[in-house]
Structure formats: structure tokens, C-alpha cells
Amino acid sequence: MTAQKFVYSFGDGKSEGDASMKNLLGGKGANLAEMSKMGLPVPPGFTITTEFCDFYYKNDKKFPDALRKEVAVALVKIEEKIGAKFGDEKNPLLFSVRSGARASMPGMMDTVLNLGLNDKTVLGLAEKSGNKRFAYDSYRRFIQMYSNVVLGFDHHNFEVILDEKKHEFGASADTDLTAENLEEIVVLFKAEVKKELNREFPQDVNEQLWGAVEAVFASWMNDRAIIYRQLNDIPASWGTAVNVQSMVFGNMGDTSATGVAFTRNPSTGEKELYGEYLINAQGEDVVAGIRTPQSITISGKEQLASNLPAMEETMPDVFLQLVEIYKKLENHYRDMQDIEFTVQNKKLWMLQTRNGKRTAQAAVKIAVDMVNEKLIDKKDALKRIDPASLDQLLHPTLDPKAKVQVIAKGLPASPGAASGIVVFSSAEAERRAENGDKVILVRIETSPEDIKGMHVSQGILTARGGMTSHAAVVARGMGTPCVSGAGGLLVDHVNHFFTANGTKVKEGETITINGSTGDVILGLVPTLKPNLSDDFQTIMKWADEVRVLKVRTNAETPLDCQTARDFGCEGIGLCRTEHMFFSEDRIISVREMILAETLEGRKKALAKLLPMQRADFVEIFKIMAGLPVTIRLLDPPLHEFLPHKDSEISEVAKAVGVDVSYVKHRIGQLHEQNPMLGHRGCRLGISYPEIYEMQARAIFEAASIVKKETGKDVLLEIMVPLVATKKELQILKSLIVATEKSVEQETGAKLNYMVGTMIELPRAALLADQIAEEAEFFSFGTNDLTQTTFGLSRDDSASFLGHYQKAGILEKDPFAELDQEGVGALIKIAVEKGRATRKDIKLGICGEHGGNPASIEFCHKAGLNYVSCSPYRVPIARLAAARAGL
Ligand code: PEP
Ligand code: MG
């Protein structure tokens, strides 16, 4: 214990830490140390390490003497640098106390500013600054924050007093309050604390300091921090650091200010300083959205059509310093930075820098631009873009031809268009989303308590708050469309409606928001396929240059095939033929086939299906020209295809020419207790070979037609589903081979094809060496393989998997992200055994996991040849596959 160093000092061009010590000092602490080392103006301070946080929780939440000693030494260092003393009545030193975890958790934990003020030091501060108003404003802020964060006192109590007094003094804004007004408010605030908590507001500055430090460590375990960690995969053991830093003041009058900025536009990626500031304010005013922030640059002001002056105009000298510093920071970190600063009497101070969160659109543009600027290389660029985030770019946009009724306008806080029904609380959003509704969460402003509701919403709309407000930052991180600060919106939470420029919208009504323009629109608006930028194509090209894994698609309609081709797929990995029968005119024939009791009856139905199948395949083969196409023979879980409703039953009866009672009798006969493990997959082909024979014929005839028309071979891969034994595959393969022979004889076309199987059952994986004697390729059907490995129903487990995740039994939904340990072990066995029998066996995956970045990385390591995923995930898979190899 004694040997361990828990406190690291920084400031004034020196520091004990640096940016590489993020795990120990937290992101904020490490970057403060680094900036200080770079010689940037950073108010001196110290960081108590994340290791101490862990120690604290493991040791009864106590502060050992050794820590107190280290802090005392660090305090003296700061006092010497600043030339002021903590708790000194004439020349007091004040602190901010902030959390700072390894991964940034915006707004999730607590902060205390102006610490060190009491009835005596406030006088010293007034005297020293020559600004009594500022001193009392700082004191009342401190009492508010400290009481809330450390003493657990409801903010609301103070707001009521403040509002009453503003009214009494005739002040419309906080800034209109005079020194005397604030002095009076301080007395009232302290009395309120005394009344409610039955104790005096602490006057001892050391008690204040340790109280605040303790509160920050405690905030690591508050509900919103815990939820945020769960949503973002941050382990609790990481802990937070605590940063204690000497205060600089943005609320010292009109030559002081506070602001936040991004070194490039976080929404578009445009290379421009982008941020907001407030004159005569402290940091929390910007984030809380209490006052409308002003743009830092003139061009930003113009973009927002704001008439408030930009910092570039009000403080041109400081602005130039800021420009110089932000450029230095970007070059140093070689990434877009999110910075916080304060101007105290025209002097600029840097309070934070970190890699800025950005939309996928911005991430792509910044990565490409930085390669062009030679700041990073192509591999860095690929590493900078989270594959899953590309989903945002693939989101639909509003159809420009659609007639829309814009009822309000706000800030374009997070791009993409979303429609849904209006809800006014996070709880209601969750409730409705659970029922399968699409919702738009409408709030005056969001706070970290809303995080769960925001997560389940299609879009977020707030009446207040800027581009860096909580709603904007969090929505961008989530990739959820968001319009913030829609000033024309009057939200009535209590009565569940809002009005926007005369239009009243009640809870449950549908609206559409456009997070790329800031429009709020009444009703549902049709959307269009996204238009991908040149930068996006560049990133995809770079990904393809390093990618080893091929990316195919799961598709069975011409539209899906074309979409996937446009997104750069390299073939079809799974064409589910049963999905080709879902349309109304076809399902009747499938039902007829399933219901038929005799071979003759089935053949009659199959004869109707054959031309439909053949025509579909012709179209698909043409679209996929020259690329491999894996067609899976029929695998219909019977319950998905049998008629249920009376109307459907009588329709089938009519079409087949039998009685309704007969259809009901057959449904009874065919009923299965456990259809997912029932008469499906190749078992159907074994019982009724004529079905697979028809399909094989349709495929080969289509291939011969396309070959004749185009002169090119179709690269056919015929896949048999749900195989457990070699024998099943052997029987069905001979049927396929015989069918091809007869089509070849009839058409004279020599066809190129392979026969393979899905690996969807543990037995098939374990005996893959035997199965590979017949199979020319394997495709891992990890949906069924997960189901059968866990013995978890694909259809029923959603209702309880949540409990498993909460209890920490399963970290992820295994149907979304591959269980690498269990299901992955079976895949590895099958890969090894399959290759032992057939060295060049082609291996792929076509379960949902084929589009999940973490699972794709596993597939890369397991040595598969390709992944196959839904068309819209093809770009995600291309990037994930590339990153897996880096
Ligand atoms: C699978 O089981 O992973 C698969 C792709 O097949 P399906 O989802 O159609 O059962
Ligand atoms: Mg399957």
C-alpha cells in the first residue's frame, strides 16, 4: 500500500503523468497531464488514480492516511504555483473536482465547482477579484452543486428560491442579479440546507474537499453510470479517477467566458472549428442548456442563422490563441479533439481535450481527410471507424418528393430520419418499445436519467439545448437521429402534448424528425435509400485492399440482391428458398404441397411452384452475374407455413378443392410440439424427395437458361440444410446429381455446380470429417447452431434472455453475437475436421452473426473463407473483415 502512488500532479508546463497513462489517470487526467506537458495553459491540479477507486471499493470505502498525505503534498505544489492558499481568508484558492474514467462517460458522473468557498473565503475572493458579484455568484453555485452532488440535496429546492428571488428582484436572467441579490440568495440557500438536512453547510474547506472526492468515487456506482457502462461494455473494475484542479473563472464578467469545441465538425466531419461559448458563465451553463450558447466562429454563427455574436467577433485575440492551440492539439493527437476551455479576464485556459465523439459520416470524412493530410495512414483510418456505426450512413433519408408539414425547426444534432409515435417520458418510451412500437422521445431537455428511453427510441427531439447538449452528444453516440433545441416547441409533460407554432401534437400521434436538417414534421414521411459519399467508397476500397475474408449476402429477392451488389457483396451466401414463397399468390401453393397426403397431390402442387422458382432464379443469377450463388433447398419450419386463421384455412381448402374439415384434419396431423426441431430441413427432403427434386430442377434449368442467354457459367452452390449425418447428405446429393444429369441431357448445357451443406447441428460439427466426404462446402448456420448448442429456442428465448444478461450469466444475446466459447468451439472443430477430409473445402457462415463485427473477427481467426449477411450489413462486414486482419 505505502509503495503505491495514488496522486499525480500536473500544471504549469510540468506533469507526473502523460497521455499514455489513461488507464491509471482516466482519460481526462491523462490528457490534462499531456496538455500541461505540451506547455499549454492548464490550471494546475492533481489526479487521484483509478487504481485508488478500485482500492476504495475493496477496502470499505475508506481513505487511508497515505492518500491524505499525498494529497496534502500535491495541494502545496498547486498553492505555490498559483500563489494562493486553500481556505485562506484573504487569498483563497478554489478547486473543481471532477470524475474521469478510462472511457469517456459524458455526464454520467458528478462534478463540483468553486470548492473552497465559505462565509470567509467568499469575502477574500470578492476583495481579490474586485468583483463582489462574481464571488457571491460562485458561492451560490458552489452551495447548489455541493449540496446536490455531495449532500444528496434536491436541486429543485434551490431552483424555487432562485426563481422566487429573480421575480422579486425583477431579474429576467441569472446574469441580471446583483451582488447584493446573490448575497441574499446565499443566505437563503444555506438556511434551506440547514432546514432540510438539519446541519450547517460545511465551512471547513478540507471537509468540503474530501466530501467531494468521496462523492465522485461514489458516483461510479450510481444507477446512470452503471447503465451507461452496461450499454457501452465498460467493466466496473476500471474505476474512475478524480481530478482536483485549481479553478479558473468564466463568470468574472464580460471579458470572461466558457466554451466547448470540436476541432472538426462532429456531425459532418468538415474541417472547421465547431463549438459554442457563453460569456460570463461557468461550464455547467453550456451543457445544461439554461442559456442559448453562441457560436465560436462567424461561419458557425451563419450556419445556425444566429444573431448572437461569435467569439471570433467578441474576443478576437483569445479566438486566435484558441485556433493555435486546437491545431497543435490535433497534430499532436492526430485525431479530432473535443475541447473545453475557459477565458478568465481575457486569458485562455484549457480544461480538457479528448478524442471527439462523432457521427459515422464525420468519422468517415475525418479518417479520409487525415490520410490525405498525412496525419495518419490507411490502416489507422480503418481502425478509426467503428463498423457497426456505418449503420447510421445506411439509414434511409426523407423522400424529397414527399409533401411534408414542418411544424418546428431545431438543430440538426444527429443525422438520419426517423418516424414514430410521440412519447414524453423515458419510461413510456420503454413501455411502448417493448410492445413493438416505434417511438420518438420528446423532452424539454434530456438528462442522463433518460438514457434507457433514448436507447429504445427511433429518434429524440428536445425543445432546449445546443449541439453539445446531453441529447445531442448521447444521440450521436448511439447513432439515433436527433433534433435538439427546437425552440418553437412548448412541451407539456403533465398533460402529454406539445404545441409547435400552433399545431398541437398529443402523445401517441406520429411525427417524423430529420436529424440532418433539424426539421420536425407532422405524420409519417416516406424515406429513400441512402446516398453514400465518395469518402465512404474510399474507406470501403481501403478495407477491400486489406481484407482476406470475402463478404457475401443473404438474399432471395431481386431487390435485395441488387442492394447487396450495390453495397459490394461478392456473392450470395444464403438464398432461403422458402422465403421466396411468402407472397400471397405463392403461399397457397406451398400450403397445398404441405397439406397433400399423397405423392400425386404433392407433385401437382410442385408443378405449380417449379416455374415460379425457375423464373426467380433466372433473375437472381443475372443480377449476381459471375459471382457465386448458394441456394439452400427448402427448410420450412412447418408452423411458419401452415394456415392458422379460419379465413386462411377456407382459402386453402378452396384452392385445393377440398373441405375445410379436411384441411383442419391435416393441420392436426401435421402439428408438431417442437417445430424448430421437427420435420424441417433435409428431413423433409428425405421424406418427400420430390420437393428437393423440383427445386434442383428449377435451379439447373434456370442456370442453363442464363448460361445460354449470357454465355457465362452460373457459379452454383446447392446447399442442403439441417444435416446431422453423412447418410442424409449422401442420399440427397445423389438426387441433386441425378437431376442435373437429366437437365443437362434435356438442355445440352454443361453446368458448373457444387453440393454442400449447412453446419447447424452439433452432431454435424463434431462429425464434420465424415460429412466432408460428401460436402464440397460448409456454411455455418449459426442461428440453428446456437439454438441447438444452448438448447435455447430461437423463437422463445427473447422473453428471458434479458434476465440472463442482467444476472451476468450471458454477457450478450448469443443470437446476435456469436458465443465464441461454446458455439465457436464447435465451429473450430468442424473447420479442422472438414479440412482434414477435404483440404480445399469452402467454408462460410450465413447465420445472423455473419453481419456482427465481433463475430466476423472470430470468423477471420477461425479461417473461414467468407461471411454472409443481410444486404444492409454488407458494408459493415467489409470494414469489420478488414479490421479483423489488422
Ligand atoms: C441458420 O440456422 O443459421 C440459418 C442461416 O438458417 P435459418 O436461419 O434459415 O434457419
Ligand atoms: Mg437454419
Side-chain angles (χ1 to χ4, degrees), residues 632 635 680 760 784 794:
R632 179 177 77 185
D635 176 14
R680 59 177 281 225
E760 301 179 274
D784 276 310
R794 284 165 69 169

Side-chain angles (χ1 to χ4, degrees), residues 502-685:
T503 308
K504 183 169 175 178
V505 178
K506 294 198 283 272
E507 189 155 82
E509 289 183 34
T510 299
I511 60 166
T512 298
I513 60 166
N514 186 347
S516 312
T517 61
D519 286 350
V520 181
I521 301 160
L522 200 63
L524 188 101
V525 182
T527 50
L528 286 187
K529 247 170 68 172
N531 185 10
L532 297 170
S533 69
D534 291 348
D535 291 329
F536 178 87
Q537 306 296 1
T538 302
I539 288 290
M540 285 294 125
K541 194 176 107 232
W542 292 346
D544 292 348
E545 282 167 15
V546 298
R547 175 162 64 82
V548 191
L549 266 180
K550 297 262 180 207
V551 176
R552 296 197 193 182
T553 192
N554 295 357
E556 45 273 328
T557 66
L559 179 69
D560 281 354
C561 292
Q562 192 56 55
T563 305
R565 278 221 74 162
D566 294 346
F567 283 146
C569 78
E570 296 164 295
I572 292 183
L574 175 64
C575 172
R576 293 177 163 108
T577 50
E578 64 281 0
H579 285 199
M580 300 164 96
F581 295 126
F582 277 144
S583 67
E584 247 177 71
D585 52 328
R586 296 178 176 197
I587 197 153
I588 284 275
S589 307
V590 176
R591 287 179 171 157
E592 186 180 337
M593 174 191 80
I594 294 174
L595 291 168
E597 252 175 315
T598 62
L599 175 63
E600 205 195 355
R602 261 190 311 278
K603 283 201 164 164
K604 208 174 114 215
L606 287 168
K608 290 186 204 161
L609 291 171
L610 178 90
M612 299 178 192
Q613 288 252 276
R614 190 175 49 214
D616 283 353
F617 291 140
V618 166
E619 231 182 308
I620 291 174
F621 294 160
K622 282 186 183 163
I623 295 170
M624 300 311 288
L627 297 175
V629 178
T630 309
I631 295 174
R632 179 177 77 185
L633 300 182
L634 209 62
D635 176 14
L638 282 183
H639 63 303
E640 283 181 24
F641 281 86
L642 285 173
H644 297 290
K645 289 193 231 138
D646 282 347
S647 59
E648 291 170 345
I649 293 176
S650 54
E651 205 184 330
V652 178
K654 206 166 123 208
V656 187
V658 293
D659 278 352
V660 165
S661 61
Y662 172 76
V663 175
K664 288 192 172 161
H665 152 78
R666 277 296 284 160
I667 292 174
Q669 270 185 336
L670 290 167
H671 172 78
E672 292 179 319
Q673 294 293 353
N674 212 338
M676 269 299 188
L677 298 179
H679 199 187
R680 59 177 281 225
C682 68
R683 298 159 196 172
L684 211 65

